[in-house]
Amino acid sequence: MPQKPTRQLAAIMFADLVGYTRLMQEDEAAARAQRDRHRDILSGAVTDHDGRILQYYGDGSLSIFSSAVEAVQAAVQVQLELAEQDLIPVRIGVHTGDIVYDEEGVYGDGVNVASRIESLAAAGGITVSGKVYDEIKNHPSVSAVSLGVAHLKGVEHPTAIFAITNEGLAVPSPDDISSKLSATKATLVVGPEESDTWSASPRRRAFPPEGPKRPALHAGRLLGAALVVAVAGVLVVVISPSDRVDEREALEVPRTSVAQRERPAIAVLPFTNMSVTGEADAAFLATGLHDELLTQLSKIASIDVIARTSVMQYEGTDKTVPMIGNELGVHTVLEGTLLLAGDQVRLNVQLIDADRDTHLWADMYDREFTVANVFDIQSDLARRVVLALAAELVPSEEALIAEVPTESLDAYTLYLRGKEVLERPGWGPEDLSAAVELFSEAVRLDPGFALGHAGLSMAHNFVYLMYDRSEARLSLARDAADEALRLSPELPEGHLAKAFELYHRYENEEAVGALTMAEAGLPGSVDVLTLKAELLLRQREWDASLATRERAALLDPLNPETGMNLAMAYAEMDRWGEADAVFDRILEVHPGFLEAAFTRGWYWWRRTGDEGPGRAALAGLPDDVSVFGLRTFFEWMMTEDPEEKAMALERIEEPISEFGGFWWAPRSLLEGWTYRTLDSERAGRAFARAVEDCLSGLEELPDDPRIYASLGRAQAGLGRREEAIEAAERVVELLPMDRDPVFGRDLLEFVSTIYAELGMAEEAAEAMEQVLSVPVVPPMFALLGPEFELVRDHPRFRAIIRRYPIPPER
C-alpha cells in the first residue's frame, strides 16, 4: 500500500559539494571517498542538532530540522569540520517552509526555495532565507549579512537572502550573487542597500565585565575632548554572543524623555568591525568613521545628535534598539558595520525606527579608502539622515559637511590618532604630549591642513589647563588656532580652539565672539556647549549657563562628566534636590564612577562640615584612581582631628598640590596649617618654607593669582600682616570677580581667609559677601572652623551664618 504523503513545516537544509562532477571525471575513486566522508560529517552534525536526513542525491543532501536555529548551527558545524579536514567545500542553503515527502521523494515550495537559496552560497558558505533569519536574528551564536531581495526562478514572491558570517565561513560578494542569479534567469530586485528585510540590528554589550572606564575627576576640565574619524564598510547584521539583557531591568534606568526635545533626535551606535584581517586598523577605521559622522551630524542645527560618550556605552551591548531609544530619548537609531580588505572598505548602515524596531532605510558604501571618499560617505549619510528625520539642511551646513580637509591620507590618519588620544578617559601628561606630537606631525605632512592645526591648538589648550600654566604653552595654542583660521576662516573647529585659548586669557568678549562662530558651525557639539556655559558664567548669565548645561546633558545623557557639570551647577544654585537626582542617575547608570559620590560628598562637606559622605566615597575608590592626582590632598583636607590630620599629611608626597584654575599650594603650607595647634614652632618653620616655595613658584609663573593666594596665607600664618595683605590685594588685582565670577570667586574665598586669620573682620566679611553674591556652595566648613575663629562673632559674619543654616543629616 503506498505511503500516505507527509506534510510538515520544517527548517530545510540543502548541501551540495562544489566541484564534485569535475573530480569524478578526474578520479572517480577519490570523488566517491570525498563524498562518503562528507556524508559522515553531515550525518554527525544533523544528529547532533536533532535533525533528519531525508534524501541523498548524487553529491548533495536534503535534511530537515524542527528549528531554524538548529539547522543553521548544524550547517556551521559541517562547514567548520570540512575546513579542518581540508575536504572539498560545500554550499549550504537553509529555508523554513512547508514540505511534502513520501516513498517517491521530497517536494513542495519550501524545498524549491531552499534549493535556489543554496545555489547562491559561496563555496564553504551558508545562505539562508529571510524567514530563517527572522528566527535566528536574536540568537547569540550567529551573525549574518543581507545579500538583498531576489526574484528566484520558480518562486512567485521576492525572497530575502542572507549569508551567515560566522568566523571561518565564506560570504559571496554582490557581484557573485548577481552573476549567479543571471545564470538562472533570476533577478536581484532589491540590493543590500535597499532590503526591506533588515528589521533587526546589531546588539552590543554596554561595558566589558570590569565595568565602564572611569575617567579621573576633571575638576576644571571644561571640554570632554573631541571627535575622531576614518572610513567605511558592509552592512552586516551581527548578533553578539553575550548574555541577554532583561528589557524590564534596562527600562528602569533613568533616561532622557523624547518629550524633552525640541527637534528630531538620532543616536548613531558604534560601528561594528567585521574584518577578519587587519584587525587593529579596521577597528580604528570603524571607530573613526563613527566619530566623524557624529561630528558631521552635529553641524546640523535642525536635529539632536547624541554625543559620542553616551553612544559608545552601547558598544557590544545586547540591548535592543527600542531599549536604547528609550534610554537615550530618541526615536531613531543609525548603526552599521565595517569590512576592510586591503585599501578597500565597505560600510553598511541602516536607519532604524526605535519605537517599532524596523528599518527606515539601509545603504552600502564600497569605496577605496581615500580622504575624499571618507567625507563623501559622511556627507551622503548626513543628508539621508536629515531627509529621514524630516529636518532641514541649510546651504551653509551643506557646505561644511561636504568640505574635504586634506588630500593627504597620512596626515588625516595622524589627525584621527590625535583625536583618539584626546577621547581617552582620564588622560595624563604623557597622553596629551602624544596628542601634541600626532597633530604636529599631521600638519608637518600637510601644512595646509586647517583641521590639523585646530586639533593641535586644542591639545595645547588641554596641556595648559591641566599641567602647564605657562605663557609659552598658551602661545602655542594661540598660534595653532590662528593658523587654522588663516587657512580656513569659517572652520568651526578652529573657532572653538580659538575661543578656548581666549577663555584661558580671560579675553571674554573675544572668546564669546569666537565661540559664537564655532556654535554656528557646530550647533550640536557638547564641547561647544560646555565652554559656552563657562563663558555665560563670566557674563553672570546664571540661568542661561544652567540651561546650556541642561542642553549638553540632553545631548550626552550617559556621560558622567557632563552629568557632574550639571549636578554641580544645580548645587551651586542651591537646587540640591535636582543636584541629588543627577548624582543618583550618574551612580545608577555608572556604579563604578565613584568620583560622582566623592564630588557630592565634597560639596556636602563644604556646605555642612560633615566629611562623612566624602570620606566614605574616597575610601570606596579603587587604589589606581587618584582623583586628578589629589586623592591624598582631599583626604587631608576633610580630616578635622589634628592627630589624624598629621597622619593624613604624611601620605601626601607631592611637593605642590595643584588644582587647575583656582588652587596651587606647596606641601609646606599644608604642614603649617596641620601643626598650628599641635606644634607651633614646627608650624612656623613650615610657613617660612611655604613663603620660599611660593616665591620660587612666582619666578616661573609671575602672574599666577593662585600662588599669591597661598603666599598670603603663608605670610598670615607667620603673622606678617603687611606682606599678607599685599599678597591678598595682588590676588584680587590679577583675577577680580567681575572678570571671572567662578575662579575669581574661589580665590576671593582664600582672600577672605587671609583677612580672617589676621583678625581683619570687616575686610574678611566684605570679601566673603562678594563670594556669596554669586552661585556657590557656601563654605560653611571654613566659616565654622578655626580659619574664621577670630572674626566669627562679628555681626556681618553672624548674619552670613544665619543666612545658611546647616541642613539636617541626609
Coordinates of all heavy atoms in Angstrom, one line a residue, residues 682-752:
R682 N 57.0 74.1 64.8 CA 57.1 73.4 63.6 C 56.2 74.1 62.5 O 56.6 74.2 61.4 CB 56.6 71.9 63.7 CG 56.7 71.1 62.4 CD 56.4 69.7 62.6 NE 56.4 69.0 61.3 CZ 56.3 67.6 61.2 NH1 56.2 66.9 62.3 NH2 56.3 67.1 60.0
A683 N 55.0 74.5 63.0 CA 54.2 75.2 62.0 C 54.8 76.5 61.5 O 54.8 76.8 60.3 CB 52.9 75.6 62.7
G684 N 55.5 77.2 62.4 CA 56.2 78.4 61.9 C 57.3 78.1 60.9 O 57.5 78.8 59.9
R685 N 58.1 77.1 61.2 CA 59.1 76.7 60.2 C 58.5 76.3 58.9 O 59.0 76.6 57.8 CB 59.9 75.5 60.8 CG 60.8 75.9 62.0 CD 61.8 74.8 62.3 NE 61.2 73.6 62.6 CZ 60.9 73.2 63.8 NH1 61.0 74.0 64.8 NH2 60.3 71.9 64.0
A686 N 57.4 75.6 58.9 CA 56.7 75.2 57.7 C 56.2 76.4 56.9 O 56.3 76.5 55.7 CB 55.6 74.2 58.0
F687 N 55.6 77.4 57.6 CA 55.1 78.6 57.0 C 56.2 79.3 56.3 O 56.1 79.9 55.2 CB 54.3 79.4 57.9 CG 52.9 79.0 58.3 CD1 52.5 78.9 59.6 CD2 52.0 78.6 57.2 CE1 51.2 78.5 59.9 CE2 50.8 78.2 57.5 CZ 50.3 78.1 58.9
A688 N 57.4 79.4 57.0 CA 58.5 80.1 56.4 C 59.0 79.4 55.1 O 59.3 80.0 54.1 CB 59.7 80.1 57.4
R689 N 59.0 78.0 55.1 CA 59.4 77.3 53.9 C 58.3 77.5 52.8 O 58.6 77.6 51.6 CB 59.5 75.8 54.2 CG 60.7 75.4 55.0 CD 61.0 74.0 54.9 NE 59.9 73.1 55.1 CZ 59.4 72.7 56.3 NH1 60.1 73.1 57.4 NH2 58.4 71.9 56.4
A690 N 57.1 77.6 53.2 CA 56.0 77.9 52.3 C 56.2 79.2 51.6 O 55.9 79.3 50.4 CB 54.6 77.8 53.0
V691 N 56.6 80.2 52.3 CA 56.8 81.5 51.7 C 57.9 81.4 50.6 O 57.7 81.9 49.5 CB 57.3 82.6 52.7 CG1 57.8 83.8 52.0 CG2 56.1 82.9 53.6
E692 N 59.0 80.7 50.9 CA 60.0 80.5 49.9 C 59.6 79.7 48.7 O 59.9 80.0 47.6 CB 61.2 79.8 50.6 CG 61.9 80.6 51.7 CD 62.3 82.0 51.2 OE1 62.9 82.0 50.1 OE2 62.1 82.9 51.9
D693 N 58.7 78.6 49.0 CA 58.2 77.8 47.9 C 57.3 78.6 47.0 O 57.3 78.5 45.8 CB 57.4 76.6 48.5 CG 58.3 75.6 49.2 OD1 59.5 75.6 48.9 OD2 57.8 74.9 50.0
C694 N 56.5 79.5 47.6 CA 55.6 80.4 46.8 C 56.4 81.4 45.9 O 56.1 81.6 44.7 CB 54.6 81.1 47.6 SG 53.4 80.0 48.4
L695 N 57.4 82.0 46.5 CA 58.3 82.9 45.8 C 59.0 82.2 44.6 O 59.1 82.8 43.6 CB 59.3 83.6 46.7 CG 58.7 84.5 47.8 CD1 59.7 85.0 48.8 CD2 58.0 85.7 47.1
S696 N 59.4 81.0 44.9 CA 60.0 80.2 43.8 C 59.0 79.9 42.7 O 59.4 80.0 41.5 CB 60.6 78.9 44.4 OG 61.1 78.1 43.4
G697 N 57.8 79.6 43.1 CA 56.7 79.4 42.1 C 56.5 80.6 41.2 O 56.2 80.5 40.0
L698 N 56.5 81.8 41.9 CA 56.3 83.0 41.2 C 57.4 83.4 40.2 O 57.1 84.1 39.2 CB 56.0 84.2 42.2 CG 54.7 84.1 42.9 CD1 54.7 85.2 44.0 CD2 53.5 84.4 42.0
E699 N 58.6 82.9 40.4 CA 59.6 83.1 39.4 C 59.3 82.5 38.1 O 59.6 83.0 37.0 CB 61.0 82.5 40.0 CG 61.5 83.3 41.1 CD 62.8 82.7 41.7 OE1 63.3 81.8 41.0 OE2 63.3 83.2 42.7
E700 N 58.6 81.3 38.2 CA 58.2 80.6 36.9 C 56.9 81.1 36.4 O 56.7 81.3 35.2 CB 58.1 79.1 37.2 CG 57.8 78.3 36.0 CD 57.7 76.8 36.3 OE1 58.1 76.4 37.5 OE2 57.3 76.0 35.5
L701 N 55.9 81.4 37.3 CA 54.6 81.9 36.9 C 54.4 83.2 37.6 O 53.6 83.3 38.6 CB 53.5 80.9 37.2 CG 53.7 79.5 36.5 CD1 52.7 78.5 37.1 CD2 53.5 79.6 35.0
P702 N 54.9 84.3 37.2 CA 54.9 85.6 37.9 C 53.6 86.2 38.1 O 53.4 87.0 39.1 CB 55.9 86.5 37.1 CG 55.8 85.9 35.8 CD 55.7 84.5 35.9
D703 N 52.6 85.9 37.3 CA 51.3 86.5 37.5 C 50.2 85.5 37.8 O 49.0 85.6 37.4 CB 50.9 87.3 36.2 CG 51.8 88.4 35.9 OD1 52.1 89.1 36.9 OD2 52.2 88.6 34.8
D704 N 50.5 84.4 38.5 CA 49.5 83.4 38.9 C 48.8 83.8 40.2 O 49.5 83.7 41.2 CB 50.2 82.1 38.9 CG 49.2 80.9 39.0 OD1 48.2 81.1 39.5 OD2 49.6 79.8 38.4
P705 N 47.6 84.1 40.1 CA 46.9 84.5 41.4 C 46.8 83.4 42.4 O 46.7 83.6 43.6 CB 45.5 85.0 40.9 CG 45.3 84.3 39.6 CD 46.7 84.2 39.0
R706 N 46.8 82.1 41.9 CA 46.7 81.0 42.9 C 47.9 81.0 43.8 O 47.8 80.7 45.0 CB 46.6 79.7 42.1 CG 45.5 79.6 41.1 CD 45.7 78.3 40.2 NE 47.0 78.3 39.6 CZ 47.5 77.2 39.1 NH1 46.9 76.1 39.2 NH2 48.7 77.3 38.5
I707 N 49.1 81.3 43.2 CA 50.3 81.3 44.1 C 50.3 82.4 45.0 O 50.7 82.3 46.2 CB 51.6 81.3 43.1 CG1 51.5 80.2 42.2 CG2 52.8 81.3 44.0 CD1 52.7 80.1 41.2
Y708 N 49.8 83.6 44.6 CA 49.7 84.7 45.5 C 48.7 84.4 46.7 O 48.9 84.8 47.8 CB 49.3 86.0 44.8 CG 50.4 86.7 44.2 CD1 50.6 86.7 42.8 CD2 51.3 87.5 44.9 CE1 51.6 87.3 42.2 CE2 52.4 88.1 44.3 CZ 52.5 88.1 42.9 OH 53.6 88.7 42.3
A709 N 47.7 83.6 46.4 CA 46.7 83.3 47.5 C 47.4 82.4 48.5 O 47.2 82.6 49.7 CB 45.5 82.5 46.9
S710 N 48.2 81.5 48.1 CA 49.0 80.6 49.0 C 50.1 81.4 49.7 O 50.3 81.2 50.9 CB 49.6 79.4 48.3 OG 48.6 78.5 47.9
L711 N 50.7 82.4 49.0 CA 51.7 83.2 49.6 C 51.1 84.0 50.8 O 51.6 84.2 51.9 CB 52.4 84.1 48.6 CG 53.4 85.1 49.1 CD1 54.6 84.4 49.8 CD2 53.9 86.0 48.0
G712 N 49.9 84.6 50.5 CA 49.2 85.4 51.5 C 48.9 84.6 52.7 O 49.0 85.0 53.9
R713 N 48.4 83.4 52.6 CA 48.1 82.5 53.7 C 49.3 82.1 54.5 O 49.3 82.0 55.7 CB 47.3 81.3 53.3 CG 46.0 81.7 52.6 CD 45.0 80.5 52.7 NE 44.6 80.2 54.1 CZ 43.7 79.3 54.4 NH1 43.1 78.6 53.5 NH2 43.4 79.1 55.7
A714 N 50.5 81.9 53.8 CA 51.7 81.6 54.5 C 52.2 82.8 55.3 O 52.6 82.6 56.5 CB 52.8 81.1 53.5
Q715 N 52.1 84.0 54.7 CA 52.5 85.2 55.4 C 51.6 85.4 56.6 O 52.1 85.8 57.7 CB 52.5 86.4 54.5 CG 53.4 86.3 53.3 CD 54.9 86.6 53.6 OE1 55.3 86.4 54.7 NE2 55.6 87.0 52.6
A716 N 50.3 85.2 56.4 CA 49.4 85.3 57.6 C 49.7 84.3 58.7 O 49.6 84.7 59.9 CB 48.0 85.1 57.1
G717 N 50.1 83.1 58.3 CA 50.5 82.1 59.3 C 51.7 82.6 60.1 O 51.8 82.2 61.3
L718 N 52.6 83.4 59.5 CA 53.7 83.9 60.2 C 53.4 85.2 60.9 O 54.3 85.8 61.6 CB 54.9 84.1 59.2 CG 55.5 82.8 58.6 CD1 56.4 83.2 57.5 CD2 56.2 82.0 59.7
G719 N 52.2 85.7 60.8 CA 51.8 87.0 61.4 C 52.4 88.2 60.7 O 52.4 89.3 61.2
R720 N 52.8 88.0 59.5 CA 53.4 89.2 58.7 C 52.2 89.9 58.0 O 51.8 89.6 56.8 CB 54.3 88.6 57.6 CG 55.5 87.9 58.2 CD 56.4 87.3 57.1 NE 57.6 86.6 57.7 CZ 58.5 85.9 57.0 NH1 58.3 85.8 55.6 NH2 59.5 85.3 57.6
R721 N 51.6 90.8 58.7 CA 50.4 91.5 58.3 C 50.5 92.2 56.9 O 49.7 92.0 56.0 CB 50.0 92.5 59.4 CG 48.6 93.1 59.2 CD 48.4 94.2 60.3 NE 47.1 94.8 60.1 CZ 46.0 94.3 60.6 NH1 46.0 93.2 61.3 NH2 44.8 94.9 60.5
E722 N 51.5 93.1 56.8 CA 51.6 93.8 55.6 C 51.9 93.0 54.3 O 51.3 93.2 53.3 CB 52.8 94.9 55.7 CG 52.4 96.0 56.7 CD 53.5 97.0 56.8 OE1 54.5 96.9 55.9 OE2 53.5 97.9 57.7
E723 N 52.8 92.0 54.5 CA 53.1 91.1 53.4 C 51.8 90.3 53.0 O 51.6 90.0 51.8 CB 54.2 90.2 53.7 CG 55.6 90.9 53.9 CD 55.8 91.4 55.3 OE1 54.8 91.5 56.1 OE2 57.0 91.6 55.6
A724 N 51.1 89.8 54.0 CA 49.9 89.0 53.7 C 48.8 89.9 53.0 O 48.2 89.4 52.0 CB 49.3 88.4 55.0
I725 N 48.6 91.1 53.5 CA 47.7 92.0 52.8 C 48.1 92.3 51.4 O 47.3 92.3 50.5 CB 47.5 93.3 53.6 CG1 46.9 93.0 55.0 CG2 46.7 94.3 52.8 CD1 46.8 94.2 55.9
E726 N 49.4 92.5 51.2 CA 49.9 92.8 49.8 C 49.6 91.6 48.9 O 49.2 91.8 47.7 CB 51.4 93.1 49.9 CG 52.0 93.4 48.5 CD 53.5 93.7 48.6 OE1 54.0 93.7 49.7 OE2 54.1 93.9 47.6
A727 N 49.8 90.4 49.4 CA 49.5 89.2 48.5 C 48.0 89.1 48.3 O 47.6 88.8 47.1 CB 50.0 88.0 49.2
A728 N 47.2 89.4 49.3 CA 45.7 89.3 49.1 C 45.3 90.3 48.0 O 44.4 90.0 47.2 CB 45.0 89.5 50.4
E729 N 45.8 91.5 48.1 CA 45.4 92.5 47.2 C 45.9 92.2 45.7 O 45.2 92.5 44.7 CB 46.0 93.9 47.6 CG 45.3 94.4 48.8 CD 46.0 95.7 49.3 OE1 47.2 96.0 48.9 OE2 45.4 96.4 50.2
R730 N 47.0 91.5 45.7 CA 47.5 91.1 44.4 C 46.6 90.0 43.7 O 46.4 90.0 42.5 CB 48.9 90.6 44.5 CG 49.6 90.2 43.2 CD 49.9 91.4 42.3 NE 50.7 91.0 41.2 CZ 50.5 91.6 40.0 NH1 49.5 92.5 39.8 NH2 51.2 91.2 39.0
V731 N 46.1 89.1 44.5 CA 45.1 88.1 44.1 C 43.9 88.8 43.4 O 43.6 88.5 42.3 CB 44.6 87.2 45.2 CG1 43.5 86.3 44.7 CG2 45.8 86.4 45.7
V732 N 43.3 89.8 44.1 CA 42.2 90.4 43.5 C 42.5 91.2 42.3 O 41.7 91.3 41.3 CB 41.5 91.3 44.6 CG1 40.3 92.1 44.1 CG2 41.1 90.5 45.8
E733 N 43.7 91.8 42.3 CA 44.1 92.6 41.1 C 44.3 91.7 39.9 O 43.9 92.1 38.8 CB 45.4 93.3 41.4 CG 46.0 94.1 40.3 CD 47.4 94.7 40.6 OE1 47.8 94.7 41.8 OE2 48.1 95.0 39.7
L734 N 44.8 90.5 40.1 CA 45.1 89.6 38.9 C 43.8 88.9 38.4 O 43.7 88.7 37.2 CB 46.1 88.6 39.3 CG 47.6 89.0 39.5 CD1 48.4 88.0 40.2 CD2 48.2 89.4 38.1
L735 N 42.9 88.6 39.3 CA 41.7 87.9 38.9 C 40.5 88.4 39.7 O 40.0 87.7 40.6 CB 41.9 86.4 39.0 CG 40.8 85.5 38.4 CD1 40.7 85.8 36.9 CD2 41.0 84.1 38.6
P736 N 40.0 89.6 39.3 CA 38.8 90.1 40.0 C 37.6 89.3 39.7 O 37.5 88.7 38.6 CB 38.8 91.5 39.5 CG 39.4 91.5 38.2 CD 40.5 90.5 38.3
M737 N 36.6 89.4 40.5 CA 35.4 88.6 40.3 C 34.6 89.1 39.1 O 33.9 88.3 38.4 CB 34.4 88.6 41.5 CG 34.8 87.5 42.5 SD 33.6 87.4 43.8 CE 32.1 87.0 42.9
D738 N 34.7 90.4 38.7 CA 34.0 90.8 37.5 C 34.6 90.3 36.3 O 34.0 90.4 35.2 CB 33.9 92.4 37.5 CG 35.3 93.0 37.5 OD1 36.3 92.3 37.5 OD2 35.3 94.3 37.5
R739 N 35.8 89.8 36.4 CA 36.5 89.2 35.2 C 36.1 87.7 35.1 O 36.0 87.1 34.1 CB 38.0 89.4 35.3 CG 38.8 89.0 34.1 CD 40.2 89.3 34.4 NE 41.1 89.0 33.3 CZ 42.4 88.9 33.4 NH1 43.0 89.2 34.6 NH2 43.2 88.6 32.4
D740 N 36.1 87.0 36.3 CA 35.8 85.6 36.4 C 35.0 85.3 37.7 O 35.7 85.2 38.7 CB 37.1 84.8 36.3 CG 36.8 83.3 36.3 OD1 35.6 82.9 36.5 OD2 37.7 82.5 36.0
P741 N 33.7 85.3 37.7 CA 33.0 85.1 38.9 C 33.0 83.6 39.4 O 32.3 83.3 40.4 CB 31.5 85.5 38.5 CG 31.5 85.3 37.1 CD 32.8 85.6 36.5
V742 N 33.7 82.8 38.7 CA 33.9 81.4 39.2 C 35.2 81.2 39.9 O 35.3 81.1 41.1 CB 33.7 80.4 38.0 CG1 33.9 78.9 38.5 CG2 32.3 80.5 37.4
F743 N 36.3 81.2 39.1 CA 37.6 81.1 39.7 C 38.0 82.3 40.6 O 38.6 82.2 41.6 CB 38.7 80.8 38.7 CG 38.6 79.5 38.0 CD1 39.1 79.3 36.7 CD2 38.0 78.4 38.7 CE1 39.0 78.1 36.1 CE2 37.9 77.2 38.1 CZ 38.4 77.0 36.8
G744 N 37.5 83.5 40.1 CA 37.7 84.7 40.9 C 37.0 84.6 42.3 O 37.6 85.0 43.3
R745 N 35.9 84.0 42.2 CA 35.1 83.8 43.5 C 35.9 82.8 44.4 O 36.0 83.1 45.6 CB 33.7 83.2 43.1 CG 32.9 82.6 44.2 CD 31.9 81.6 43.7 NE 32.6 80.4 43.2 CZ 32.0 79.4 42.5 NH1 30.8 79.6 42.1 NH2 32.7 78.3 42.1
D746 N 36.4 81.7 43.8 CA 37.1 80.8 44.7 C 38.4 81.4 45.3 O 38.7 81.1 46.5 CB 37.5 79.5 43.8 CG 36.2 78.8 43.3 OD1 35.2 78.8 44.0 OD2 36.3 78.2 42.2
L747 N 39.1 82.2 44.5 CA 40.3 82.8 45.0 C 40.0 83.9 46.1 O 40.7 84.1 47.0 CB 41.1 83.4 43.9 CG 41.8 82.3 43.0 CD1 42.4 83.0 41.8 CD2 42.9 81.6 43.8
L748 N 38.8 84.6 45.9 CA 38.4 85.6 46.8 C 38.0 84.9 48.2 O 38.2 85.5 49.2 CB 37.2 86.4 46.3 CG 36.9 87.6 47.1 CD1 38.1 88.6 47.1 CD2 35.7 88.3 46.4
E749 N 37.6 83.7 48.1 CA 37.4 82.9 49.4 C 38.7 82.8 50.2 O 38.7 82.9 51.4 CB 36.8 81.6 49.0 CG 36.4 80.7 50.2 CD 35.8 79.4 49.8 OE1 35.0 79.4 48.9 OE2 36.3 78.4 50.4
F750 N 39.8 82.5 49.5 CA 41.1 82.5 50.1 C 41.5 83.8 50.7 O 42.1 83.9 51.8 CB 42.1 81.9 49.2 CG 41.9 80.6 48.7 CD1 42.1 80.2 47.4 CD2 41.3 79.6 49.5 CE1 41.9 79.0 46.9 CE2 41.1 78.3 49.0 CZ 41.4 78.0 47.7
V751 N 41.2 84.9 49.9 CA 41.5 86.2 50.4 C 40.7 86.5 51.7 O 41.3 87.1 52.6 CB 41.1 87.3 49.3 CG1 41.2 88.7 49.9 CG2 42.1 87.1 48.1
S752 N 39.5 86.1 51.7 CA 38.7 86.3 53.0 C 39.3 85.6 54.1 O 39.4 86.1 55.2 CB 37.2 85.8 52.7 OG 36.5 85.9 53.9

